[in-house]
Amino acid sequence: MKNLIDIKDLSTQEIQELIEVAKDIMQHPQNYVEKCKHKKLATLFFEPSTRTRLSFEAAMMELGGNVIGFSSASSSSTAKGESVSDTIRTIGCYSDIIAMRHPKEGAPLVASIKSTVPIINAGDGGHNHPTQTLTDLLTISCEKQRLNNLTIGLCGDLKFGRTVHSLITAMSRYENIKFILISPEELKIPEYVKKEILEKHQIQYIETTSLEEHMKDLDILYMTRVQKERFFNEEDYVRLKDYYILNNSKLTTAKQDLCIMHPLPRVNEISTEVDDDPRAKYFNQVRYGKYIRMALILKMLEIK
Ligand code: CP
């Protein structure tokens, strides 16, 4: 695999291997400290990030490699009008692998055509976020000990939430998965996700506006932020941003082994009182993100 643009670039077998390597790294980190010695990762972030960029950088450092890059378009020659293609050809002269985030959907795919080194899509617009999905799969595998037989509630901005689109794509490969799609009418899952993934693979799903209605059935509740940066007007964002706020009272009917996830950043959609509930796994999820990215870097650099 030269590039990771979409979670579909990985087979189910390859995802399983990445999860197993990540778990081995968690148990035996000392075995990996020099695996990427003399290798360089470039993180090119044309859009803000905390977790994705810093977890990639921490991952490469823990593998003994080095990191270069920029954290905003304004601090690169993009601000002078340089194209993504020329930026990528340049960075390929300095690095062995590139993790790239861009507000334009498809930009990492375009970059991968020109690149001489592997490209990892670290999030493109409202489209895809495959390494968050790998993070989510490792989280589910560790916290639920399975990737099949799950009822998964996805709540919030299902229209613009790229992590949701990638997660549905990935989870649709596993046996007996059912989705409860919880969103305001305006932020429903796009038709193409329903037609090309859910209906094509005959995955059961229910669309609802109620967070409480199916709470008792959920094995996983995946909360998402309303994506302010993808709205065309402030008024719509303000009206929808606090549509769902998960708090302790809303969890009264939930299963004792519910796994509450969120790709973060959180704004208001999970009350901080929930953080003390043992079912809240979103900060564990952050930690898993570093280990799965370590496994991914090793795979893409073909290091055993
Ligand atoms: N989950 C996620 O992509 O977080 P950042 O935007 O902070 O990278």
Side-chain angles (χ1 to χ4, degrees):
M1 182 188 56
K2 186 174 182 296
N3 306 295
L4 177 63
I5 305 301
D6 189 303
I7 195 68
K8 287 187 268 192
D9 295 336
L10 290 165
S11 68
T12 309
Q13 173 68 24
E14 286 176 313
I15 289 174
Q16 194 52 39
E17 284 164 11
L18 286 171
I19 289 173
E20 280 162 23
V21 172
K23 287 179 178 175
D24 192 62
I25 297 170
M26 284 190 265
Q27 283 179 349
H28 308 289
Q30 69 282 2
N31 293 348
Y32 293 84
V33 291
E34 296 206 331
K35 291 281 184 191
C36 286
K37 206 170 170 187
H38 307 306
K39 297 287 184 190
K40 283 198 282 295
L41 164 76
T43 53
L44 311 188
F45 278 63
F46 297 87
E47 198 183 55
S49 167
T50 295
R51 277 144 294 273
T52 311
R53 184 171 68 82
L54 297 179
S55 67
F56 263 117
E57 295 187 359
M60 191 51 152
M61 287 176 193
E62 292 192 24
L63 292 167
N66 293 301
V67 178
I68 58 171
F70 53 80
S71 59
S72 71
S74 62
S75 64
S76 75
S77 285
T78 304
K80 301 176 200 161
E82 186 167 57
S83 67
V84 168
S85 297
D86 285 0
T87 302
I88 289 296
R89 288 178 77 160
T90 301
I91 307 298
C93 301
Y94 310 142
S95 64
D96 301 287
I97 185 165
I98 294 172
M100 173 183 168
R101 172 172 288 187
H102 201 283
K104 279 203 185 131
E105 300 178 3
L109 176 63
V110 171
S112 70
I113 294 163
K114 293 286 175 189
S115 183
T116 53
V117 301
I119 298 279
I120 302 172
N121 178 4
D124 61 328
H127 192 216
N128 275 311
H129 194 348
T131 65
Q132 180 63 48
T133 305
L134 291 173
T135 300
D136 298 340
L137 295 176
L138 178 61
T139 305
I140 296 168
S141 176
C142 289
E143 299 293 343
K144 300 299 294 180
Q145 291 78 47
R146 65 184 191 277
L147 288 169
N148 52 15
N149 300 320
L150 292 164
T151 298
I152 303 172
L154 299 165
C155 177
D157 185 349
L158 308 189
K159 180 178 180 184
F160 297 117
R162 59 192 173 198
T163 63
V164 167
H165 306 160
S166 292
L167 184 60
I168 289 176
T169 305
M171 290 307 299
S172 294
R173 300 174 179 195
Y174 298 96
E175 298 268 304
N176 195 24
I177 298 297
K178 182 175 175 183
F179 290 107
I180 310 294
L181 304 173
I182 308 156
S183 73
E185 282 297 325
E186 296 94 325
L187 297 178
K188 282 170 77 171
I189 203 85
E191 281 300 314
Y192 85 89
V193 177
K194 282 196 264 182
K195 293 230 155 37
E196 293 171 24
I197 302 164
L198 294 168
E199 287 162 18
K200 186 174 167 191
H201 296 102
Q202 298 176 313
I203 308 293
Q204 282 190 71
Y205 70 92
I206 293 170
E207 290 186 286
T208 176
T209 55
S210 168
L211 174 55
E212 288 93 333
E213 188 184 357
H214 295 276
M215 184 67 83
K216 65 178 179 15
D217 304 319
L218 302 181
D219 300 301
I220 292 167
L221 174 57
Y222 193 97
M223 297 296 295
T224 62
R225 167 180 74 91
V226 174
Q227 305 269 306
K228 182 180 183 184
E229 61 276 34
R230 320 251 178 254
F231 273 75
F232 292 111
N233 71 70
E234 177 82 9
E235 200 181 304
D236 284 348
Y237 170 70
V238 170
R239 186 167 50 79
L240 295 168
K241 71 184 173 66
D242 293 331
Y243 204 96
Y244 301 107
I245 300 178
L246 183 68
N247 56 23
N248 286 342
S249 78
K250 292 196 176 113
L251 285 166
T252 49
T253 60
K255 291 181 181 175
Q256 282 311 304
D257 63 349
L258 173 70
C259 175
I260 305 169
M261 298 171 63
H262 191 311
L264 303 180
R266 147 177 71 180
V267 184
N268 275 334
E269 56 281 354
I270 303 181
S271 167
T272 53
E273 69 181 18
V274 177
D275 296 0
D276 297 327
D277 189 310
R279 295 171 290 187
K281 302 295 183 188
Y282 29 92
F283 287 108
N284 295 12
Q285 199 177 344
V286 171
R287 188 169 295 107
Y288 293 128
K290 181 184 71 178
Y291 294 113
I292 201 75
R293 289 182 174 102
M294 289 171 80
L296 180 65
I297 290 169
L298 290 173
K299 177 178 174 59
M300 295 190 72
L301 292 177
E302 299 180 354
I303 295 170
K304 296 281 172 217

